[in-house]
Amino acid sequence: MHDGDFRSLKGTDDPYEITLDRAREILKEPKKTRPGAPQIYREVGEHPKTKKRIYLYKSKTGYFLKKGFKRAFVPDSMADVLTPAEAVDILKSA
């Protein structure tokens, strides 16, 4: 795990013998998700209070933000122009 990003070690990687260079290679690879699972569309920015990253997700039903297990849907017209402040307001109303 690094900076809130978690990856599983599979195959020939032994967690007790992995090197820093190999760990960096694994973290550079795109994260694999389940087929049909929502994909990260883009990073909106940083939450002003918690300093956590806010991500906009895309699924077959549209764009949304996540707050725990809740989804706050975002209009398609806002997907490319959504600011962190607007995202926080949408998450508050969810």
Side-chain angles (χ1 to χ4, degrees):
M1 179 169 190
H2 172 71
D3 197 24
D5 192 12
F6 179 82
R7 293 295 190 333
S8 295
L9 297 177
K10 295 186 175 139
T12 60
D13 292 316
D14 181 2
Y16 298 107
E17 296 180 10
I18 193 164
T19 65
L20 181 60
D21 290 333
R22 177 66 182 136
R24 287 180 177 154
E25 287 175 22
I26 292 169
L27 285 168
K28 283 183 183 177
E29 295 172 5
K31 198 167 191 175
K32 296 173 184 151
T33 59
R34 299 181 326 266
Q39 300 291 322
I40 294 176
Y41 180 69
R42 73 180 183 95
E43 182 178 336
V44 177
E46 189 177 88
H47 193 286
K49 290 184 182 175
T50 64
K51 304 299 180 197
K52 290 185 178 181
R53 294 180 184 145
I54 300 172
Y55 293 103
L56 181 65
Y57 295 88
K58 183 178 181 180
S59 70
K60 58 185 173 184
T61 58
Y63 298 97
F64 64 92
L65 301 165
K66 286 185 358 182
K67 182 180 183 180
F69 291 109
K70 292 184 179 181
R71 292 182 175 188
F73 285 91
V74 175
D76 292 350
S77 61
M78 290 183 68
D80 292 324
V81 295
L82 187 67
T83 65
E86 292 170 333
V88 169
D89 288 340
I90 292 171
L91 288 169
K92 280 182 185 176
S93 65

